[in-house]
Amino acid sequence: MKSLRLPIALQQAVMRCLRDKLQLANQRLERNYDEPKLIYQQRGTAAGTAWLQHWEIRINPVLLLENQQAFIDEVIPHELAHLLVWRYFGRVAPHGKEWKWMMETVLNVPARRTHQFEIASVRSRAFPYRCRCQQHQLTVRRHNRVMRGESEYRCVHCGDILKPGDFAA
C-alpha cells in the first residue's frame, strides 16, 4: 500500500490539538502524562485507534485528509481520552462512564462513540454470501478464511451457514 502524503500544516494542526488537550488533561487531573506517539497508518473504516500499552494513537490518513477539522476536533480527543482513561482508571469499558467523563468534563468535547465521516473511500472490498433469508457481505479476511476451510459463518436470523454467491445465482 502506498502511503498517503499529509500536508505538514495538517500534521501540525493534529499535534497542536493533541498537545492542547493533553495539557488540559494534565492540569485538570493533576498529572504529568507524556505525549503519546502518533502513527498515521490506521486502515479501514476506523478513524483512529488508541493502543493502550504502546501509549500511541493510530490515525487513518485518508479520513483525516477528507475530514480535516472535524477529525481534529473529534477523533484526536476521542483517542486521547482512551489513553488517559486507561492510565487514570485502569481497564474499564471502552466507552463507559469513565471515558464519557474524560471526554466531557476533562477535555471539554462531546462524547460521541463513532464518527459520522463518509467512508466510501476507505471501505474494503466485500464478498457476497447468501443464506436462506438474505444476502450478506463478508470482508476479504472472512472470505479468505471460508475459502481456506478455516471458518464458517452463520446467519444470526435463520442460522444457515453462509455460502458464497448472491441472490441472482
Side-chain angles (χ1 to χ4, degrees):
M1 183 178 113
K2 187 177 180 189
S3 61
L4 188 62
R5 293 202 120 179
L6 293 172
I8 239 8
L10 182 56
Q11 292 181 48
Q12 289 171 333
V14 168
M15 282 305 300
R16 198 166 31 256
C17 174
L18 177 66
R19 288 176 176 152
D20 289 349
K21 292 299 182 185
L22 181 60
Q23 181 181 13
L24 182 63
N26 279 334
Q27 289 170 349
R28 291 187 173 171
L29 299 173
E30 298 179 349
R31 298 288 199 275
N32 191 23
Y33 295 123
D34 293 332
E35 186 177 290
K37 183 177 182 181
L38 281 178
I39 298 177
Y40 294 90
Q41 294 179 341
Q42 179 69 46
R43 295 170 69 181
T45 59
T49 52
W51 288 67
L52 306 177
Q53 291 84 354
H54 297 280
W55 196 248
E56 69 185 31
I57 296 172
R58 296 189 183 175
I59 295 171
N60 188 318
V62 175
L63 292 177
L64 170 59
L65 202 53
E66 292 176 353
N67 307 278
Q68 297 181 15
Q69 197 57 53
F71 194 104
I72 291 167
D73 294 342
E74 299 170 26
V75 177
I76 301 306
H78 178 115
E79 300 309 334
L80 177 61
H82 284 302
L83 295 177
L84 295 169
V85 164
W86 182 67
R87 284 269 172 96
Y88 195 75
F89 293 103
R91 192 163 296 282
V92 296
H95 296 107
K97 66 181 189 250
E98 298 88 353
W99 177 83
K100 185 177 180 185
W101 174 80
M102 190 68 70
M103 285 289 287
E104 294 177 346
T105 306
V106 176
L107 299 178
N108 288 335
V109 177
R112 281 192 218 89
R113 293 182 57 188
T114 58
H115 65 75
Q116 302 296 313
F117 305 145
E118 175 56 53
I119 58 170
S121 62
V122 292
R123 181 177 281 134
S124 64
R125 185 168 172 220
F127 290 82
Y129 276 67
R130 59 180 161 67
C131 66
R132 184 175 351 141
C133 68
Q134 63 182 310
Q135 182 169 336
H136 302 265
Q137 298 294 318
L138 263 59
T139 63
V140 171
R141 179 174 287 164
R142 287 186 174 195
H143 169 73
N144 288 338
R145 285 182 182 152
V146 170
M147 293 293 105
R148 290 189 303 260
E150 296 171 357
S151 294
E152 65 181 22
Y153 299 94
R154 294 184 178 271
C155 175
V156 296
H157 300 292
C158 71
D160 270 4
I161 294 174
L162 304 184
K163 300 288 184 194
D166 55 39
F167 286 121

